[in-house]
Amino acid sequence: MRVLGVDPGLTRCGVGVVEGVAGRPLTMLGVGVVRTPADAEIAHRLVGIERGIEEWLDAHHPDMVAVERVFSQHNVRTVMGTAQASAVAMLCASRRGIPVTLHTPSEVKAAVTGSGRADKDQVGAMVTRLLRLDAPPKPADAADALALAICHIWRAPAQNRLQRAVAAHHARKGPTA
Amino acid sequence: MRVLGVDPGLTRCGVGVVEGVAGRPLTMLGVGVVRTPADAEIAHRLVGIERGIEEWLDAHHPDMVAVERVFSQHNVRTVMGTAQASAVAMLCASRRGIPVTLHTPSEVKAAVTGSGRADKDQVGAMVTRLLRLDAPPKPADAADALALAICHIWRAPAQNRLQRAVAAHHARKGPTA
């Protein structure tokens, strides 16, 4: 399974591609950041994000895209931009027919470090170890994107089983169940 | 000037096209709502919004697109969806080279009713009067989209003058001014 992880943001949108299956060593195929200028108009920035994500999809043809689930937290201004960048990433994947899954930051941290409250250094260190890299990817957004992809590969089997179970339940009960 | 107004939302995204210039009677060219099913996955809903906005752009070729500026208000869940739908609308317009302008809800209400705190009925009544319609457009999202387009036509001359003045200032002072 090849997964593109996206840590959404307008100024720095982290992207990372990881290949592998749960229980086997994972391979990093690429990591980077899609940037747009902070002083550009929001509409132009979204076009820049779209172009960047499209390039990553063209280059790597992922089977799945994992995007960080955005919550409304402290900084309202940042959260809006993050929600909008995540919308563009989801749109780019979904219109190609690539399944999109959202993972919360604590799910991602728990998946790669064992703790949902791990800090950025811990996440970076575990990403480095799990992908057998020489150093933690910089900036942190790039490391977070790889952590999202790893999280998705490890969580996906359970999620897929759940989705199949729900689908089977609906099939038995009919579409209105 | 032909303006597409967009009142963004995932469940109901209001769209309305108004043609005219400030100080002259305005003409409504179309009004409607792009809907996506509330039980669909967010990524699929965004693809539906994109498809709907593209159809409106293809049908009406607006000169400008006016989108409601999203604030983080009471309902966090709704605000996220609104921010994501607005991102798709801005993206669709901007990648065609159509200028996008954001207007706050109170700017829109003040433009069409004279009060930034007008209620939905007042906005609907004024949209009906200004566009010489037989009845207020339903649902309210559709009326709001038309109000956005009207607001933009009336505010645009001042905004354009300001943008030209800023551009001229930068031209005199050089690009780093």
Side-chain angles (χ1 to χ4, degrees):
Chain A
M1 177 156 60
R2 184 178 295 186
V3 178
L4 171 67
V6 179
D7 182 29
L10 286 178
T11 304
R12 289 184 306 277
C13 185
V15 282
V17 184
V18 177
E19 194 167 61
V21 293
R24 303 284 297 273
L26 303 169
T27 307
M28 181 182 82
L29 299 182
V31 64
V33 176
V34 176
R35 296 172 192 272
T36 71
D39 59 351
E41 283 182 22
I42 169 75
H44 293 159
R45 300 182 80 180
L46 295 172
V47 174
I49 299 285
E50 179 185 47
R51 200 171 296 143
I53 298 289
E54 288 290 334
E55 284 172 8
W56 280 83
L57 293 173
D58 284 341
H60 292 282
H61 296 280
D63 304 304
M64 309 279 290
V65 171
V67 181
E68 186 174 299
R69 188 184 292 277
V70 181
F71 290 105
S72 187
Q73 294 142 327
H74 325 295
N75 189 333
V76 169
R77 203 180 170 80
T78 306
V79 167
M80 287 291 147
T82 308
Q84 293 174 323
S86 79
V88 173
M90 288 190 274
L91 176 67
C92 290
S94 191
R95 71 186 170 203
R96 290 186 184 218
I98 304 174
V100 174
T101 305
L102 304 176
H103 298 283
T104 67
S106 51
E107 283 169 353
V108 174
K109 288 174 190 173
V112 301
T113 74
S115 164
R117 287 169 296 179
D119 64 18
K120 289 216 171 282
D121 285 348
Q122 249 182 296
V123 172
M126 283 308 297
V127 165
T128 307
R129 186 172 307 168
L130 294 166
L131 298 175
R132 288 153 287 129
L133 308 177
D134 295 329
K138 301 276 181 190
D141 315 77
D144 286 347
L146 291 170
L148 267 157
I150 295 170
C151 169
H152 187 74
I153 290 170
W154 285 353
R155 286 172 62 97
Q159 289 188 344
N160 291 346
R161 277 198 302 274
L162 179 63
Q163 282 168 355
R164 280 200 300 271
V166 170
H169 172 80
H170 281 266
R172 277 198 310 276
K173 299 270 190 175
T176 58
Chain B
M1 176 155 62
R2 184 178 294 186
V3 177
L4 171 67
V6 179
D7 182 31
L10 286 178
T11 303
R12 290 183 307 278
C13 184
V15 282
V17 184
V18 178
E19 193 168 62
V21 293
R24 304 283 298 272
L26 303 168
T27 307
M28 181 182 82
L29 300 182
V31 65
V33 176
V34 176
R35 295 172 193 273
T36 70
D39 59 351
E41 281 182 23
I42 169 73
H44 294 158
R45 300 182 79 180
L46 295 172
V47 173
I49 300 284
E50 178 184 49
R51 200 172 294 142
I53 297 289
E54 288 290 335
E55 284 171 8
W56 279 83
L57 293 173
D58 284 341
H60 292 284
H61 296 281
D63 304 304
M64 309 279 290
V65 172
V67 181
E68 186 173 298
R69 188 184 292 277
V70 181
F71 291 105
S72 186
Q73 294 142 325
H74 325 296
N75 189 332
V76 169
R77 203 181 170 79
T78 306
V79 167
M80 287 292 148
T82 308
Q84 293 175 323
S86 79
V88 173
M90 288 190 274
L91 176 67
C92 290
S94 191
R95 71 186 170 202
R96 289 186 185 218
I98 304 174
V100 175
T101 305
L102 303 176
H103 299 283
T104 67
S106 50
E107 283 169 353
V108 174
K109 289 175 189 171
V112 302
T113 74
S115 165
R117 285 169 297 177
D119 64 18
K120 288 217 171 282
D121 286 348
Q122 249 182 297
V123 171
M126 283 307 297
V127 164
T128 308
R129 187 173 306 167
L130 294 166
L131 298 175
R132 287 153 287 130
L133 309 176
D134 295 329
K138 300 276 182 189
D141 316 77
D144 285 347
L146 291 171
L148 266 157
I150 295 170
C151 169
H152 187 73
I153 290 171
W154 286 353
R155 287 173 61 97
Q159 289 187 344
N160 291 346
R161 277 198 302 276
L162 179 63
Q163 282 168 355
R164 280 200 301 271
V166 170
H169 172 80
H170 280 267
R172 277 199 309 276
K173 298 269 192 178
T176 59

